[in-house]
């Protein structure tokens, strides 16, 4: 969810109409049956950013929305403003997530959409202290595991259409150096969501689908650097959510979001190079290795249209 600054990965302008599609997708398309009026969505990390944008857009679509976050006062204010239910929740605490589910079931009877979006940054490198690593993994990984396990099985066995959306990161795929703890947490969310998608496919009569949301540079509380307007390079959270809905309707599992800075084609080359480290037996993270700098630059630029 956080931006990856140069020479790290960040996403950019879409020269094939993706931005135009994202800007109004929520109103134009035929939505997934779990996103119908009267259905219920639970969103974690909902007091700000992508989670808050999803809550607002889901309410516009007529869904009941239960918003969860550790930020109690802001969460309550935002929920009241859109007619949603606020449940202060530490997603790292399994009991708190079970209490969140209990509120949703008591209020609305069932949960149709689960968006595991809560996340934190700033974990540090491989030698960072235990406290930093524990915080990152507790929220970014165990928060998602808790959501999937507390809500997911009941949703899968219900026979109703449903969605489970987990927020990942490009850093969990390309692994830029600097915040290894964050990268590990998001790589694990990718693996978890892939495994979840398979489990749901293997569950008889299951109508629930899993999706991995992979945002580009998005202007949120996590990426905001002090006061000021949104940088030109960033997407708004609303753009991300509209794009997410369009790609869910298209059947995408990997929802790889662009932004206003780097093309999807560049992202694809970066991801292909990362996998090539294994296939070609290159040094780990060779993209940032001085001996491989020129080779990566040539690979990244080949076949990519210039802005």
């Amino acid at each position: 969810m956080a931006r990856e600054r140069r020479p790290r990965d960040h996403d950019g302008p879409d020269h094939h109409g993706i931005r135009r599609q994202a800007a109004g997708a929520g109103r134009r398309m035929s939505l997934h049956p779990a996103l119908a009026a009267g259905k219920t969505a639970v969103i974690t990390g909902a007091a700000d950013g992508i989670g808050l944008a999803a809550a607002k857009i889901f309410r516009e679509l007529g869904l009941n929305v239960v918003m969860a976050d550790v930020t109690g006062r802001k969460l309550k204010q935002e929920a009241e403003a859109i007619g949603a239910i606020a449940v202060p929740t530490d997603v790292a605490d399994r009991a708190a997530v079970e209490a969140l589910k209990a509120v949703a079931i008591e209020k609305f009877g069932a949960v149709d959409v689960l968006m595991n979006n809560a996340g934190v940054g700033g974990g540090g490198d491989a030698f960072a202290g235990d406290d930093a690593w524990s915080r990152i993994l507790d929220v970014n990984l165990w928060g998602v595991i808790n959501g999937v396990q507390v809500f997911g099985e009941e949703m899968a066995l219900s026979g109703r259409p449903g969605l489970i959306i987990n927020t990942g990161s490009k850093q969990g795929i390309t692994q830029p150096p600097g915040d290894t703890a964050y990268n590990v947490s998001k790589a694990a969310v990718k693996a978890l969501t892939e495994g979840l998608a398979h489990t749901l496919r293997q569950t008889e009569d299951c109508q629930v689908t899993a999706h991995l949301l992979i945002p580009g540079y998005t202007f949120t509380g996590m990426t905001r650097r002090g006061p000021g307007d949104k940088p030109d390079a960033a997407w708004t959270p609303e753009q991300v959510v509209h794009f997410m809905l369009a790609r869910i309707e298209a059947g995408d599992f990997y929802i790889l979001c662009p932004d206003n800075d780097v093309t999807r084609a560049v992202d694809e080359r970066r991801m292909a190079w990362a996998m090539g480290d294994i296939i070609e037996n290159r040094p780990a993270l060779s993209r940032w290795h001085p001996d491989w700098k020129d080779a990566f630059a040539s690979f990244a630029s080949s076949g990519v249209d210039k802005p």
Side-chain angles (χ1 to χ4, degrees), residues 196-255:
L196 171 63
H198 177 78
T199 296
L200 294 173
R201 285 197 305 266
Q202 300 298 110
T203 302
E204 187 175 359
D205 297 326
C206 178
Q207 297 188 57
V208 178
T209 58
H211 304 267
L212 181 67
L213 176 62
I214 313 169
Y217 178 23
T218 309
F219 190 56
T220 70
M222 185 181 292
T223 62
R224 190 178 295 120
R225 301 290 187 263
D229 296 333
K230 181 187 75 65
D232 291 340
W235 261 18
T236 67
E238 289 76 16
Q239 285 176 290
V240 172
V241 175
H242 281 306
F243 182 85
M244 176 187 80
L245 295 179
R247 299 324 304 165
I248 287 173
E249 183 58 27
D252 292 3
F253 170 80
Y254 299 101
I255 303 174

Side-chain angles (χ1 to χ4, degrees), residues 42-292:
V42 173
I43 306 168
T44 68
D48 185 60
I50 294 170
L52 178 57
K56 292 177 178 179
I57 291 168
F58 289 173
R59 284 295 293 144
E60 290 175 2
L61 295 172
L63 277 75
N64 307 310
V65 173
V66 180
M67 299 169 61
D69 207 302
V70 292
T71 313
R73 179 179 296 179
K74 187 175 190 302
L75 179 70
K76 182 179 179 181
Q77 291 172 344
E78 297 290 1
E80 288 178 349
I82 63 171
I85 302 296
V87 184
T89 306
D90 178 0
V91 295
D93 181 349
R94 175 68 68 104
V97 177
E98 290 171 344
L100 170 64
K101 177 185 174 184
V103 171
I105 299 299
E106 180 183 0
K107 294 285 186 180
F108 302 115
V111 173
D112 306 283
V113 179
L114 171 65
M115 188 169 179
N116 291 307
N117 175 72
V120 294
D125 68 14
F127 293 143
D130 177 68
D131 288 347
W133 273 80
S134 294
R135 175 175 170 268
I136 288 285
L137 295 180
D138 285 349
V139 176
N140 293 5
L141 175 55
W142 277 104
V144 179
I145 294 172
N146 288 338
V148 165
Q149 293 187 348
V150 169
F151 288 89
E153 186 172 15
E154 185 172 316
M155 292 173 66
L157 297 176
S158 70
R160 299 187 311 274
L163 290 171
I164 300 176
I165 304 161
N166 295 336
T167 301
S169 170
K170 291 168 190 176
Q171 290 187 210
I173 302 171
T174 57
Q175 304 294 323
D179 195 346
T180 303
Y182 183 85
N183 296 354
V184 167
S185 72
K186 291 300 185 177
V189 168
K190 172 181 174 289
L192 169 65
T193 312
E194 289 168 336
L196 171 63
H198 177 78
T199 296
L200 294 173
R201 285 197 305 266
Q202 300 298 110
T203 302
E204 187 175 359
D205 297 326
C206 178
Q207 297 188 57
V208 178
T209 58
H211 304 267
L212 181 67
L213 176 62
I214 313 169
Y217 178 23
T218 309
F219 190 56
T220 70
M222 185 181 292
T223 62
R224 190 178 295 120
R225 301 290 187 263
D229 296 333
K230 181 187 75 65
D232 291 340
W235 261 18
T236 67
E238 289 76 16
Q239 285 176 290
V240 172
V241 175
H242 281 306
F243 182 85
M244 176 187 80
L245 295 179
R247 299 324 304 165
I248 287 173
E249 183 58 27
D252 292 3
F253 170 80
Y254 299 101
I255 303 174
L256 180 60
C257 299
D259 57 39
N260 298 332
D261 196 17
V262 176
T263 65
R264 178 185 172 105
V266 170
D267 269 320
E268 290 172 351
R269 299 298 277 178
R270 289 170 173 174
M271 292 177 182
W273 182 272
M275 185 56 65
D277 280 353
I278 301 171
I279 297 168
E280 302 295 334
N281 197 25
R282 296 190 294 251
L285 302 184
S286 68
R287 177 178 157 192
W288 293 274
H289 193 296
D291 293 348
W292 291 87

